[in-house]
Amino acid sequence: SEEPGDPSPTDFVYGEEDFILPGSGWEGEPGSAPSRFDRALLESWDDRMERGLFRYRLGPLPTRVLPGPLRLVAQLNVQRGTERRPPQPVCSLRQPFDPAAFNFPRLRPGELLLRLRRAASRGDRRCPAETVPLLVAINASPLERGHVLRLPEPSRGLPQTLTAPALLGGLEVALLSAHPGFRLGFNGLGGCASVNHLHLHGLYVSRPLPVEAAPAQAVCPRHRLWLLLRGVPAPAFLFYAAGTADLEAVARDVCRAAEHITDSGLAYNVFITRGEPPEGAGAGAGRGLRVLLWARRPSFGTKASEDFNVALCELAGHLPLPAAPLYRNITEEEALRAIHGHLLP
């Protein structure tokens, strides 16, 4: 419900000229500077934090790189572990949307940050229905500063099943940020999705992750499909967009593959990050967008207490941990054992 003084989302119109394919340097490095999108998102996010619209006040989070070849990034976030909204129970990979359960039209207007709209351009093949505004809202139980939810047409009541238009919007949002650690992702039903209403996560991670540069083995180059096998926490299908011309094809092919995974009785997670070409950093080409797709054992019902959930962040090598002893003592071997327990043989 709206309350007096609640701010409204800011309209943010963007075009292809706003896309920043290579990104900039990490904070403090030469050439590092936020984009127009970064400034709009983080300023409004900080404003909502000051207004007390989150479940807890997020301060600096202890972060360390675990010793080992994968250099997994562990981060302590006790409050998210204790104060987040309980996840909705999931009993099916194709569970329909339930209007009686929590869904995103129930958010207060003040929780909405941006209303994104792609400016019409000459030669744009998409129809007006595909360029409707996309909402960006706070995640009220944030993992990091700037942790947001990307909501494609929440009033339609779509379940948490990835669609090509929703993923295409996520790929474009990834290119609006200049920050090399801005990532987006999707947790499917049975893959630790906590709300059965179509959404993607977006967040700023302060360290490089192993999935950005690991070389991959070609599976079907015609569909930009590769397989990440070495130097990553969990094997993944990799789709790669070398430039903006590849975005629509990558979005379509990822969603076709995700549909095949669901038809096979498996759950999936998706992760979007800037990264090196699939052949590795020495391939000679510049950085593009890597889209990782993991197939996994589905997890249904109320989960028993675990040290940490295994969702899109953990599969990519970023470990938000809920307890100080676990954060201090966890090893790379223990983290990988927990992650692999949710994967296929």
Side-chain angles (χ1 to χ4, degrees), residues 92-94 188-191 237 257-269 294-300 342-345:
S92 167
L93 296 174
R94 298 191 185 276
L189 295 175
F237 293 110
E259 182 69 13
H260 282 299
I261 289 172
T262 302
D263 287 344
S264 300
L266 300 172
Y268 63 89
N269 301 83
W294 288 279
R296 58 179 291 163
R297 305 172 190 268
S299 176
F300 296 137
H342 294 266
L343 303 180
L344 306 180

Side-chain angles (χ1 to χ4, degrees), residues 124-256:
D124 194 338
R125 293 174 295 169
R126 285 177 289 177
C127 67
E130 294 176 305
T131 57
V132 295
L134 302 173
L135 294 176
V136 177
I138 65 171
N139 186 317
S141 304
L143 288 167
E144 290 262 15
R145 177 180 179 239
H147 185 183
V148 295
L149 302 175
R150 224 191 108 265
L151 310 177
E153 300 184 85
S155 61
R156 292 181 61 191
L158 299 175
Q160 184 67 348
T161 299
L162 193 59
T163 67
L167 180 55
L168 176 59
L171 298 176
E172 292 187 345
V173 169
L175 295 181
L176 291 176
S177 173
H179 194 292
F182 182 70
R183 282 88 180 217
L184 291 102
F186 179 89
N187 293 322
L189 295 175
C192 284
S194 59
V195 177
N196 184 19
H197 192 182
L198 183 58
H199 66 285
L200 283 80
H201 290 266
L203 70 160
Y204 294 83
V205 181
S206 59
R207 306 289 177 92
L209 296 176
V211 295
E212 296 171 29
Q217 171 186 328
V219 175
C220 185
R222 183 167 66 91
H223 290 289
R224 302 167 182 82
L225 173 60
W226 302 69
L227 185 62
L228 273 177
L229 290 172
R230 292 168 291 159
V232 292
F237 293 110
L238 168 65
F239 298 80
Y240 184 72
T244 56
D246 297 334
L247 297 183
E248 287 192 50
V250 165
R252 180 189 65 241
D253 291 342
V254 169
C255 289
R256 288 176 61 193

Side-chain angles (χ1 to χ4, degrees), residues 24 26-27 33-46 58 61 63 73 75 113-114 136 142-148 173-174 176-184 201-209 271 274 313 318:
S24 65
W26 292 92
E27 188 173 353
S35 67
R36 183 169 70 95
F37 171 79
D38 293 320
R39 291 192 297 271
L41 187 152
L42 291 172
E43 287 171 7
S44 56
W45 195 94
D46 289 343
L58 190 73
L61 298 172
T63 304
V73 177
Q75 194 165 61
L113 304 181
L114 302 175
V136 177
L143 288 167
E144 290 262 15
R145 177 180 179 239
H147 185 183
V148 295
V173 169
L176 291 176
S177 173
H179 194 292
F182 182 70
R183 282 88 180 217
L184 291 102
H201 290 266
L203 70 160
Y204 294 83
V205 181
S206 59
R207 306 289 177 92
L209 296 176
F271 190 77
R274 285 186 177 86
C313 286
H318 174 219

Side-chain angles (χ1 to χ4, degrees), residues 298-319:
S299 176
F300 296 137
T302 304
K303 303 175 186 66
S305 177
E306 297 181 272
D307 288 337
F308 59 89
N309 288 327
V310 175
L312 66 94
C313 286
E314 291 79 6
L315 291 167
H318 174 219
L319 311 177

